[in-house]
Amino acid sequence: MAGIVVVFDFDKTIIDLDSDNWVVDELGATDLFNQLLPTMPWNSVMDRMMKELHEQGKTIKDIEEVLKRAPVIPRVVPAIKAAHALGCDLRIVSDANLFYIETILNHLGISDCFTEIHTNPGYVDEEGRLRIRPHHDFHTSSHGCSSNTCPPNMCKGLVIEKIQASLAKEGKKRMIYLGDGAGDYCPSLKLKEQDFVMPRKDFPVWKLINENRDLVKAEIHGWSDGEEQEHILLQIIKTISMEDNQFLSVDCKFQTIPINAVHEAMTKALPVPY
């Protein structure tokens, strides 16, 4: 299962809301946010909001405490831990920001499960203010995405293409992508026939995929809640490993162990609740 790469979106895929809205609302800045939103790109609005909150006396500690209260999709943490324990390479591709994501992952105790996080840079400057920058510098050039569903600051499709190129060098070949938003549609189009996409049902990416199924090469498995996400994800991992490894060779008197025996042990060790 070392050849399986699982890519998670973050907002509404790991946590059960939009992290930007959560921080703004919890810190009492919703009205100002709504005033600024029509005047500049979302990513720029969030950087401006952090400036305004800093000037109002809100601290990094205040932001961290709000993030730690963010509701998490039920069963997603056990699913992540199980996929990691099974040897999968877990990564995050998100239009949130690094400060938010790392704060929440550390709070949940799952930061070590992920090998990479691709998102908008988020860092604390010398004045103690949180700064949020675009993943792609849209002020100097366009990322060139043709899907018309990606925001100017981040094309997840380009990110997935870079991951795919690195995986080819490492010999890894199967990808599972989980997401919910319109920005998750473009990366879904980049997946190969041997890959899997898990769109959240009745969310924007689900609608886009269903309207353009002929364009999606990957196998599609929708999910509605955390329990379904966990069950489908672990079932796909099991299916991939069974397809790719009919037998696990053991260098001991040329004996082999049937892969179904391994999965029987895996099932006992990591039961999936229904």
Side-chain angles (χ1 to χ4, degrees):
M1 284 168 277
I4 302 174
V5 179
V6 185
V7 179
F8 286 85
D9 174 38
F10 188 72
D11 292 345
K12 301 181 184 178
T13 300
I14 292 179
I15 63 171
D16 207 7
L17 42 65
D18 182 277
S19 55
D20 285 332
N21 289 128
W22 174 254
V23 170
V24 167
D25 293 345
E26 289 294 298
L27 293 179
T30 307
D31 289 343
L32 177 59
F33 176 80
N34 290 335
Q35 292 172 20
L36 292 175
L37 191 56
T39 69
M40 62 185 80
W42 183 289
N43 191 253
S44 302
V45 172
M46 287 310 302
D47 185 60
R48 172 68 181 277
M49 289 303 304
M50 294 304 107
K51 176 178 183 294
E52 297 291 338
L53 289 169
H54 179 71
E55 291 177 352
Q56 293 174 17
K58 303 297 184 183
T59 66
I60 294 300
K61 182 69 173 177
D62 294 329
I63 298 172
E64 288 176 338
E65 290 305 311
V66 166
L67 290 168
K68 291 174 183 178
R69 297 198 304 267
V72 180
I73 294 178
R75 299 305 307 171
V76 72
V77 171
I80 288 169
K81 289 181 176 179
H84 178 256
L86 291 169
C88 297
D89 179 353
L90 275 56
R91 310 186 186 203
I92 289 176
V93 177
S94 167
D95 193 18
N97 70 75
L98 190 61
F99 182 85
Y100 287 4
I101 294 173
E102 288 187 335
T103 299
I104 293 174
L105 293 184
N106 287 331
H107 176 65
L108 296 175
I110 54 174
S111 58
D112 291 343
C113 293
F114 295 93
T115 59
E116 282 186 339
I117 299 174
H118 299 268
T119 188
N120 299 297
Y123 63 93
V124 181
D125 68 12
E126 63 278 1
E127 297 178 2
R129 167 191 163 192
L130 179 60
R131 301 303 307 268
I132 299 172
R133 296 303 190 200
H135 183 271
H136 302 305
D137 188 359
F138 60 87
H139 296 295
T140 59
S141 63
S142 168
H143 52 57
C145 173
S146 59
S147 73
N148 297 319
T149 58
C150 294
N153 61 288
M154 187 176 194
C155 171
K156 294 184 180 182
L158 290 179
V159 176
I160 289 298
E161 287 181 329
K162 291 179 180 179
I163 293 176
Q164 288 170 329
S166 68
L167 296 180
K169 296 177 182 178
E170 299 173 18
K172 297 178 180 179
K173 57 183 180 178
R174 310 292 291 273
M175 184 179 291
I176 307 169
Y177 186 95
L178 299 89
D180 71 281
D184 296 307
Y185 174 64
C186 185
S188 300
L189 299 178
K190 306 298 183 181
L191 300 176
K192 310 300 183 183
E193 289 183 359
Q194 69 268 23
D195 296 329
F196 299 79
V197 59
M198 291 179 56
R200 191 170 184 181
K201 293 178 182 177
D202 301 321
F203 279 68
V205 71
W206 174 256
K207 181 175 184 291
L208 287 165
I209 285 177
N210 278 285
E211 290 175 348
N212 303 276
R213 279 185 174 253
D214 291 344
L215 300 179
V216 180
K217 301 183 183 72
E219 193 170 307
I220 302 166
H221 292 267
W223 58 279
S224 297
D225 54 33
E227 185 174 309
E228 192 172 20
Q229 183 199 101
E230 178 189 36
H231 174 64
I232 293 172
L233 176 61
L234 297 186
Q235 187 61 45
I236 291 174
I237 293 169
K238 179 178 178 179
T239 299
I240 292 174
S241 60
M242 290 181 70
E243 290 175 355
D244 291 353
N245 305 283
Q246 292 302 313
F247 290 92
L248 293 178
S249 296
V250 178
D251 188 14
C252 179
K253 296 183 180 180
F254 304 102
Q255 294 178 351
T256 59
I257 300 176
I259 192 68
N260 59 353
V262 176
H263 284 293
E264 183 179 351
M266 181 188 81
T267 303
K268 292 178 179 178
L270 293 163
V272 180
Y274 291 91

Tab-separated table of all heavy atoms in Angstrom, residues 152-183:
chain	number	residue	atom	x	y	z
A	152	PRO	N	-8.187	32.752	-8.735
A	152	PRO	CA	-6.917	33.245	-9.301
A	152	PRO	C	-5.688	32.897	-8.476
A	152	PRO	O	-4.590	32.808	-9.015
A	152	PRO	CB	-7.121	34.762	-9.378
A	152	PRO	CG	-8.209	35.057	-8.391
A	152	PRO	CD	-9.109	33.863	-8.423
A	153	ASN	N	-5.880	32.679	-7.173
A	153	ASN	CA	-4.723	32.431	-6.301
A	153	ASN	C	-4.272	30.983	-6.249
A	153	ASN	O	-3.180	30.691	-5.775
A	153	ASN	CB	-5.031	32.884	-4.870
A	153	ASN	CG	-6.207	32.136	-4.275
A	153	ASN	OD1	-7.352	32.366	-4.673
A	153	ASN	ND2	-5.950	31.233	-3.350
A	154	MET	N	-5.108	30.054	-6.754
A	154	MET	CA	-4.708	28.651	-6.654
A	154	MET	C	-5.456	27.774	-7.639
A	154	MET	O	-6.686	27.707	-7.613
A	154	MET	CB	-4.922	28.108	-5.242
A	154	MET	CG	-4.372	26.707	-5.044
A	154	MET	SD	-4.534	26.139	-3.331
A	154	MET	CE	-3.447	24.704	-3.357
A	155	CYS	N	-4.698	27.091	-8.498
A	155	CYS	CA	-5.256	26.058	-9.371
A	155	CYS	C	-4.795	24.709	-8.819
A	155	CYS	O	-3.622	24.356	-8.904
A	155	CYS	CB	-4.769	26.225	-10.804
A	155	CYS	SG	-5.223	24.841	-11.885
A	156	LYS	N	-5.728	23.972	-8.234
A	156	LYS	CA	-5.375	22.676	-7.666
A	156	LYS	C	-5.001	21.663	-8.745
A	156	LYS	O	-4.272	20.708	-8.472
A	156	LYS	CB	-6.524	22.142	-6.818
A	156	LYS	CG	-6.812	22.954	-5.567
A	156	LYS	CD	-7.908	22.294	-4.740
A	156	LYS	CE	-8.215	23.069	-3.483
A	156	LYS	NZ	-9.246	22.404	-2.657
A	157	GLY	N	-5.498	21.877	-9.960
A	157	GLY	CA	-5.131	20.991	-11.057
A	157	GLY	C	-3.637	21.039	-11.339
A	157	GLY	O	-2.995	20.002	-11.565
A	158	LEU	N	-3.060	22.239	-11.321
A	158	LEU	CA	-1.618	22.375	-11.517
A	158	LEU	C	-0.847	21.709	-10.384
A	158	LEU	O	0.202	21.096	-10.603
A	158	LEU	CB	-1.233	23.853	-11.608
A	158	LEU	CG	-1.668	24.614	-12.865
A	158	LEU	CD1	-1.222	26.069	-12.776
A	158	LEU	CD2	-1.112	23.962	-14.124
A	159	VAL	N	-1.365	21.836	-9.176
A	159	VAL	CA	-0.718	21.200	-8.025
A	159	VAL	C	-0.713	19.680	-8.196
A	159	VAL	O	0.300	19.020	-7.969
A	159	VAL	CB	-1.414	21.596	-6.714
A	159	VAL	CG1	-0.800	20.846	-5.536
A	159	VAL	CG2	-1.331	23.101	-6.485
A	160	ILE	N	-1.856	19.123	-8.607
A	160	ILE	CA	-1.947	17.678	-8.803
A	160	ILE	C	-0.997	17.221	-9.902
A	160	ILE	O	-0.353	16.163	-9.784
A	160	ILE	CB	-3.399	17.272	-9.135
A	160	ILE	CG1	-4.279	17.427	-7.896
A	160	ILE	CG2	-3.466	15.833	-9.665
A	160	ILE	CD1	-3.878	16.556	-6.720
A	161	GLU	N	-0.857	17.994	-10.959
A	161	GLU	CA	0.071	17.622	-12.028
A	161	GLU	C	1.508	17.560	-11.517
A	161	GLU	O	2.279	16.659	-11.890
A	161	GLU	CB	-0.032	18.612	-13.186
A	161	GLU	CG	-1.303	18.459	-14.002
A	161	GLU	CD	-1.371	19.429	-15.164
A	161	GLU	OE1	-0.815	20.546	-15.050
A	161	GLU	OE2	-2.006	19.074	-16.173
A	162	LYS	N	1.868	18.491	-10.645
A	162	LYS	CA	3.218	18.472	-10.063
A	162	LYS	C	3.400	17.260	-9.150
A	162	LYS	O	4.463	16.628	-9.150
A	162	LYS	CB	3.477	19.768	-9.294
A	162	LYS	CG	3.590	20.992	-10.189
A	162	LYS	CD	3.829	22.262	-9.375
A	162	LYS	CE	3.933	23.474	-10.285
A	162	LYS	NZ	4.142	24.741	-9.522
A	163	ILE	N	2.365	16.941	-8.387
A	163	ILE	CA	2.434	15.751	-7.525
A	163	ILE	C	2.563	14.503	-8.387
A	163	ILE	O	3.375	13.611	-8.089
A	163	ILE	CB	1.193	15.666	-6.616
A	163	ILE	CG1	1.191	16.812	-5.596
A	163	ILE	CG2	1.156	14.320	-5.884
A	163	ILE	CD1	-0.053	16.859	-4.735
A	164	GLN	N	1.790	14.425	-9.453
A	164	GLN	CA	1.848	13.265	-10.344
A	164	GLN	C	3.243	13.084	-10.934
A	164	GLN	O	3.736	11.965	-11.039
A	164	GLN	CB	0.811	13.398	-11.464
A	164	GLN	CG	-0.622	13.217	-11.001
A	164	GLN	CD	-1.632	13.588	-12.068
A	164	GLN	OE1	-1.384	14.471	-12.890
A	164	GLN	NE2	-2.778	12.926	-12.059
A	165	ALA	N	3.885	14.197	-11.311
A	165	ALA	CA	5.237	14.126	-11.871
A	165	ALA	C	6.225	13.587	-10.841
A	165	ALA	O	7.094	12.770	-11.162
A	165	ALA	CB	5.669	15.503	-12.358
A	166	SER	N	6.070	14.016	-9.584
A	166	SER	CA	6.973	13.530	-8.539
A	166	SER	C	6.709	12.069	-8.217
A	166	SER	O	7.630	11.306	-7.931
A	166	SER	CB	6.839	14.384	-7.279
A	166	SER	OG	5.570	14.211	-6.672
A	167	LEU	N	5.436	11.663	-8.278
A	167	LEU	CA	5.086	10.277	-7.985
A	167	LEU	C	5.653	9.337	-9.038
A	167	LEU	O	6.051	8.214	-8.735
A	167	LEU	CB	3.566	10.113	-7.913
A	167	LEU	CG	2.842	10.864	-6.804
A	167	LEU	CD1	1.345	10.587	-6.871
A	167	LEU	CD2	3.390	10.488	-5.435
A	168	ALA	N	5.669	9.792	-10.285
A	168	ALA	CA	6.216	8.961	-11.362
A	168	ALA	C	7.681	8.646	-11.106
A	168	ALA	O	8.145	7.530	-11.364
A	168	ALA	CB	6.044	9.671	-12.700
A	169	LYS	N	8.397	9.606	-10.559
A	169	LYS	CA	9.818	9.394	-10.242
A	169	LYS	C	9.982	8.418	-9.074
A	169	LYS	O	10.962	7.685	-9.003
A	169	LYS	CB	10.484	10.723	-9.902
A	169	LYS	CG	10.523	11.711	-11.066
A	169	LYS	CD	11.128	13.032	-10.632
A	169	LYS	CE	11.119	14.042	-11.778
A	169	LYS	NZ	11.675	15.360	-11.355
A	170	GLU	N	9.001	8.434	-8.152
A	170	GLU	CA	9.074	7.570	-6.978
A	170	GLU	C	8.492	6.183	-7.221
A	170	GLU	O	8.598	5.300	-6.367
A	170	GLU	CB	8.321	8.224	-5.807
A	170	GLU	CG	8.894	9.563	-5.374
A	170	GLU	CD	8.019	10.258	-4.343
A	170	GLU	OE1	7.184	9.563	-3.741
A	170	GLU	OE2	8.165	11.475	-4.153
A	171	GLY	N	7.829	5.998	-8.374
A	171	GLY	CA	7.227	4.707	-8.676
A	171	GLY	C	5.836	4.530	-8.102
A	171	GLY	O	5.247	3.457	-8.211
A	172	LYS	N	5.298	5.576	-7.469
A	172	LYS	CA	3.939	5.494	-6.927
A	172	LYS	C	2.943	5.742	-8.053
A	172	LYS	O	3.186	6.576	-8.925
A	172	LYS	CB	3.752	6.509	-5.801
A	172	LYS	CG	4.653	6.250	-4.602
A	172	LYS	CD	4.482	7.291	-3.525
A	172	LYS	CE	5.388	7.002	-2.331
A	172	LYS	NZ	5.268	7.998	-1.262
A	173	LYS	N	1.812	5.047	-8.027
A	173	LYS	CA	0.973	5.092	-9.216
A	173	LYS	C	-0.530	5.231	-8.995
A	173	LYS	O	-1.261	5.413	-9.956
A	173	LYS	CB	1.212	3.849	-10.059
A	173	LYS	CG	0.966	2.535	-9.310
A	173	LYS	CD	1.295	1.343	-10.202
A	173	LYS	CE	1.066	0.027	-9.491
A	173	LYS	NZ	1.346	-1.132	-10.353
A	174	ARG	N	-1.027	5.130	-7.778
A	174	ARG	CA	-2.473	5.229	-7.571
A	174	ARG	C	-2.784	6.399	-6.651
A	174	ARG	O	-2.174	6.564	-5.596
A	174	ARG	CB	-3.037	3.935	-6.967
A	174	ARG	CG	-2.624	2.643	-7.676
A	174	ARG	CD	-3.219	2.509	-9.058
A	174	ARG	NE	-4.651	2.306	-9.077
A	174	ARG	CZ	-5.236	1.108	-8.980
A	174	ARG	NH1	-4.518	0.005	-8.802
A	174	ARG	NH2	-6.555	0.999	-9.065
A	175	MET	N	-3.782	7.199	-7.036
A	175	MET	CA	-4.151	8.369	-6.236
A	175	MET	C	-5.640	8.332	-5.903
A	175	MET	O	-6.463	7.940	-6.721
A	175	MET	CB	-3.817	9.661	-6.981
A	175	MET	CG	-4.077	10.930	-6.188
A	175	MET	SD	-3.633	12.456	-7.090
A	175	MET	CE	-1.845	12.316	-7.140
A	176	ILE	N	-5.954	8.746	-4.680
A	176	ILE	CA	-7.333	8.936	-4.235
A	176	ILE	C	-7.469	10.402	-3.848
A	176	ILE	O	-6.702	10.897	-3.012
A	176	ILE	CB	-7.679	8.049	-3.026
A	176	ILE	CG1	-7.349	6.576	-3.308
A	176	ILE	CG2	-9.153	8.203	-2.646
A	176	ILE	CD1	-7.420	5.691	-2.073
A	177	TYR	N	-8.424	11.110	-4.450
A	177	TYR	CA	-8.589	12.536	-4.192
A	177	TYR	C	-9.953	12.792	-3.550
A	177	TYR	O	-10.988	12.389	-4.088
A	177	TYR	CB	-8.470	13.340	-5.490
A	177	TYR	CG	-8.497	14.831	-5.278
A	177	TYR	CD1	-7.307	15.552	-5.166
A	177	TYR	CD2	-9.703	15.529	-5.158
A	177	TYR	CE1	-7.325	16.925	-4.937
A	177	TYR	CE2	-9.726	16.890	-4.929
A	177	TYR	CZ	-8.534	17.583	-4.817
A	177	TYR	OH	-8.553	18.936	-4.577
A	178	LEU	N	-9.970	13.493	-2.411
A	178	LEU	CA	-11.204	13.820	-1.700
A	178	LEU	C	-11.390	15.330	-1.665
A	178	LEU	O	-10.468	16.064	-1.294
A	178	LEU	CB	-11.181	13.306	-0.265
A	178	LEU	CG	-11.051	11.800	-0.028
A	178	LEU	CD1	-9.590	11.384	0.063
A	178	LEU	CD2	-11.777	11.398	1.245
A	179	GLY	N	-12.598	15.794	-2.043
A	179	GLY	CA	-12.862	17.217	-1.998
A	179	GLY	C	-14.341	17.521	-2.045
A	179	GLY	O	-15.179	16.626	-2.148
A	180	ASP	N	-14.658	18.815	-1.975
A	180	ASP	CA	-16.070	19.217	-1.940
A	180	ASP	C	-16.385	20.399	-2.841
A	180	ASP	O	-17.493	20.509	-3.353
A	180	ASP	CB	-16.467	19.581	-0.506
A	180	ASP	CG	-15.818	20.884	-0.075
A	180	ASP	OD1	-14.634	20.861	0.279
A	180	ASP	OD2	-16.483	21.936	-0.137
A	181	GLY	N	-15.434	21.319	-3.021
A	181	GLY	CA	-15.738	22.590	-3.662
A	181	GLY	C	-15.508	22.618	-5.165
A	181	GLY	O	-14.964	21.683	-5.754
A	182	ALA	N	-15.916	23.737	-5.783
A	182	ALA	CA	-15.714	23.905	-7.223
A	182	ALA	C	-14.233	23.832	-7.578
A	182	ALA	O	-13.866	23.345	-8.658
A	182	ALA	CB	-16.305	25.247	-7.666
A	183	GLY	N	-13.374	24.286	-6.666
A	183	GLY	CA	-11.934	24.228	-6.912
A	183	GLY	C	-11.373	22.820	-6.947
A	183	GLY	O	-10.236	22.607	-7.383
